[in-house]
Amino acid sequence: VNLVGRKNESLPFFFVYPLDSAHIVGYNSGQYSERVYMTPAYEIYEVESGVIKDTIKLFNKIELRTGDDVYRSRVFLSVQDCMKPDNSRLACGMFYMPVFNIIDPHTKQVHGIRIKGTKSFSAKNRIVHYMDMAANDDFICALYCGEKLKGKGDYPDYLYLIDWEGKPLHKYILPVGTTSIEIDGNNLYLLNFHTGDIYCV
């Protein structure tokens, strides 16, 4: 089945999750090419026909000039996300903004949260916020930085544990360099793709 988007073009999905036996939801980054850029959104598709059924719009289009080819307006809306195992809710943390959202893809309700003390967005300084997200039925784990990463070997320092109502429960200082996280049952895995190390909590 080919998914048919609104513009009949290829769909630059970053993440795709099942909603139920008949539907999937995907984060469409909107980045078709260097010159064609649409505002990112979550899109719900019917699996059997491939037809788009609904759109969850989170963002307004941003046009800011930074003088940095890597740090352009299209990357300001980058996210990392995860799905609750029962497929009832999504969580997405923004890479360059101190905001994470909890989304009900069935009702299209969005609950945006900013944790107290996190640094504000800056069009000049490339402050990294949420680097990865993972979840089980009880909690969201968020790999968090809050600083400007300088290069290889510079890692985020923190891991937030957040409930599905958006309340931060714990903030942990990470003892090891971590670039991504995964949850499997009761185990949380801290992965470092620079070194190949995997740690299990």
Side-chain angles (χ1 to χ4, degrees), residues 136-160:
N136 61 21
D137 282 319
D138 299 313
F139 307 110
I140 303 160
C141 290
L143 185 60
Y144 186 80
C145 182
E147 302 290 341
K148 184 175 180 179
L149 293 178
K150 299 174 181 64
K152 185 177 178 180
D154 200 8
Y155 301 107
D157 291 323
Y158 305 108
L159 183 79
Y160 277 109

Side-chain angles (χ1 to χ4, degrees), residues 27-201:
Y27 184 74
N28 188 338
S29 68
Q31 299 187 35
Y32 291 98
S33 68
E34 287 298 312
R35 285 179 282 181
V36 180
Y37 175 59
M38 297 164 55
T39 306
Y42 283 94
E43 296 174 342
I44 298 171
Y45 287 83
E46 193 176 77
V47 174
E48 190 172 334
S49 67
V51 172
I52 188 169
K53 302 301 290 184
D54 220 335
T55 302
I56 304 169
K57 296 181 179 178
L58 298 178
F59 311 120
N60 296 319
K61 192 166 186 177
I62 292 178
E63 294 294 347
L64 288 173
R65 297 189 180 278
T66 64
D68 185 339
D69 285 341
V70 177
Y71 191 49
R72 293 176 296 171
S73 60
R74 67 171 54 197
V75 306
F76 295 161
L77 301 182
S78 298
V79 303
Q80 292 290 331
D81 66 10
C82 59
M83 173 72 90
K84 192 175 182 183
D86 67 4
N87 300 335
S88 65
R89 279 180 283 183
L90 278 160
C92 71
M94 300 190 69
F95 199 78
Y96 285 121
M97 296 189 188
V99 176
F100 72 90
N101 301 287
I102 295 176
I103 304 161
D104 185 331
H106 303 279
T107 65
K108 299 202 299 181
Q109 288 186 327
V110 179
H111 180 40
I113 299 109
R114 177 176 178 181
I115 295 175
K116 186 176 180 180
T118 53
K119 294 181 181 178
S120 298
F121 167 76
S122 169
K124 293 182 179 179
N125 297 317
R126 211 180 301 173
I127 297 172
V128 175
H129 293 278
Y130 294 94
M131 286 193 63
D132 201 11
M133 310 279 281
N136 61 21
D137 282 319
D138 299 313
F139 307 110
I140 303 160
C141 290
L143 185 60
Y144 186 80
C145 182
E147 302 290 341
K148 184 175 180 179
L149 293 178
K150 299 174 181 64
K152 185 177 178 180
D154 200 8
Y155 301 107
D157 291 323
Y158 305 108
L159 183 79
Y160 277 109
L161 189 66
I162 303 160
D163 69 19
W164 279 104
E165 302 307 312
K167 180 182 178 183
L169 303 174
H170 299 286
K171 180 182 180 182
Y172 300 101
I173 298 174
L174 293 170
V176 294
T178 305
T179 56
S180 62
I181 54 177
E182 294 288 342
I183 292 178
D184 181 22
N186 291 324
N187 295 321
L188 171 67
Y189 293 94
L190 310 176
L191 303 109
N192 185 322
F193 63 68
H194 294 306
T195 64
D197 292 330
I198 301 173
Y199 304 91
C200 180
V201 181

